[in-house]
């Protein structure tokens, strides 16, 4: 009896301490705080917000992905960092956050797409794959011994019948359809640039230049490390297949972005001169 009373008293004291100073609720993804928060999910979103920028835009004839892949060492081999993956021939995935988590979700997405094709004899739709993957992400917020994925993912596809489709799933498992979205440390600045565009009136050829421009425009040369620009798409021009853009289109988009940066720099210098 004394032992049971001691456990009861300890539990009450622990609950009081957690409530009074606001700690202890982040020890498990299964625990809600008094304010209704799940801190493990908030921490997972911090991993996304601390990652380098990634952008996805849905246009008239498909979806384009762009990511700012940080070069962490001068010894790093070029073009070995990838944040976009082919999940099925007609579906691509972009992630932002912890790299191992992104790779794990890509593997899970490919497994779901393969199982669906084997079972039903036709490719999985983007919306169905989004339901499967976001459900899997949510599942890991419900069980002990697991943690939420430290990344957001964007799934996109295109076919002539349904047109372009794009969804973003967060570590909590919540997901929505988007016309454009930005993730990472420069999300707010990139989001502001995206809101100036009219993606539903633009082709992927036009959008591939714009996403390159936004990545360069939001990159801070002083605070941020050097980066490689990764560009990919799934659209009418790629015959409905997900693929990285070829070197000619990639060079054209980078040149466009750098020219726009120089123009903006010249304009700001002129404004400063006029002010003096």
């Amino acid at each position: 009896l004394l032992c049971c009373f001691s456990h009861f008293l300890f539990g009450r004291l622990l609950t009081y301490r957690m409530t009074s100073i606001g700690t202890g609720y982040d020890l498990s993804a299964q625990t809600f705080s008094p304010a209704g928060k799940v801190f493990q999910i908030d921490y997972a979103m911090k991993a996304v917000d601390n990652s380098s920028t990634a952008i996805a835009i849905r246009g008239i004839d498909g979806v384009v992905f762009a990511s700012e892949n940080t070069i962490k060492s001068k010894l790093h081999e070029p073009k070995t960092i990838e944040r976009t993956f082919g999940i099925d021939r007609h579906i691509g995935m972009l992630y932002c956050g912890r790299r191992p988590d992104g790779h794990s979700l890509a593997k899970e997405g490919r497994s779901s797409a393969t199982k669906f094709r084997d079972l039903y004899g036709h490719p999985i739709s983007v919306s169905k794959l989004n339901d499967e993957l976001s459900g899997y992400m949510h599942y890991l917020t419900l069980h002990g011994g697991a943690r939420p994925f430290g990344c957001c993912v964007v799934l996109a596809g295109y076919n002539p019948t349904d047109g372009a489709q794009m969804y973003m799933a967060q570590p909590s498992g919540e997901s929505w359809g988007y016309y454009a979205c930005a993730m990472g440390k420069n999300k707010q600045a990139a989001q502001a640039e995206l809101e100036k565009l009219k993606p539903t009136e633009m082709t992927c050829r036009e959008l591939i230049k714009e996403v390159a421009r936004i990545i360069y425009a939001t990159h801070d040369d002083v605070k941020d490390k050097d980066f490689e620009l990764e560009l990919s798409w799934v659209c009418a021009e790629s015959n409905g297949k997900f693929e990285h853009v070829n070197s000619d289109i990639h060079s054209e988009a980078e040149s466009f972005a750098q020219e726009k940066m120089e123009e903006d720099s010249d304009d700001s210098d002129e404004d400063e001169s006029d002010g003096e």
Side-chain angles (χ1 to χ4, degrees), residues 35-52:
K37 280 182 167 290
V38 180
F39 285 109
Q40 287 281 329
I41 293 175
D42 291 346
Y43 297 159
M45 282 303 301
K46 277 292 184 182
V48 177
D49 293 338
N50 290 332
S51 182
S52 51

Side-chain angles (χ1 to χ4, degrees), residues 38-177:
V38 180
F39 285 109
Q40 287 281 329
I41 293 175
D42 291 346
Y43 297 159
M45 282 303 301
K46 277 292 184 182
V48 177
D49 293 338
N50 290 332
S51 182
S52 51
T53 311
I55 299 172
I57 309 182
R58 171 182 160 189
I60 298 171
D61 58 344
V63 178
V64 300
F65 292 153
S67 66
E68 173 194 20
N69 296 344
T70 303
I71 300 173
K72 297 185 177 181
S73 170
K74 292 181 179 179
L75 302 177
H76 176 77
E77 183 180 350
K79 297 182 180 179
T80 54
I81 301 174
E82 288 190 352
R83 295 169 70 190
T84 61
F85 306 98
I87 302 302
D88 203 339
R89 287 191 292 269
H90 64 300
I91 298 177
M93 189 191 94
L94 166 70
Y95 79 88
C96 182
R98 287 179 53 82
R99 184 170 290 114
D101 291 13
H103 283 257
S104 180
L105 281 170
K107 182 179 178 181
E108 181 66 25
R110 287 168 179 159
S111 176
S112 295
T114 301
K115 288 176 183 177
F116 187 93
R117 187 186 291 269
D118 292 343
L119 184 60
Y120 296 104
H122 61 86
I124 192 170
S125 66
V126 182
S127 59
K128 175 63 176 174
L129 181 60
N130 174 68
D131 290 343
E132 293 281 341
L133 208 56
S134 59
Y136 178 64
M137 295 172 75
H138 177 60
Y139 175 82
L140 292 186
T141 69
L142 303 176
H143 297 274
R147 64 162 175 80
F149 281 100
C151 64
C152 289
V153 297
V154 178
L155 294 169
Y158 172 82
N159 64 64
T161 304
D162 301 322
Q165 294 180 299
M166 187 174 82
Y167 297 87
M168 182 176 74
Q170 296 187 343
S172 63
E174 293 179 282
S175 65
W176 299 272

Side-chain angles (χ1 to χ4, degrees), residues 205-217:
R205 269 285 188 158
E206 295 169 322
L207 289 174
I208 205 76
K209 294 181 180 180
E210 290 297 331
V211 292
R213 178 187 65 80
I214 293 170
I215 290 291
Y216 270 90

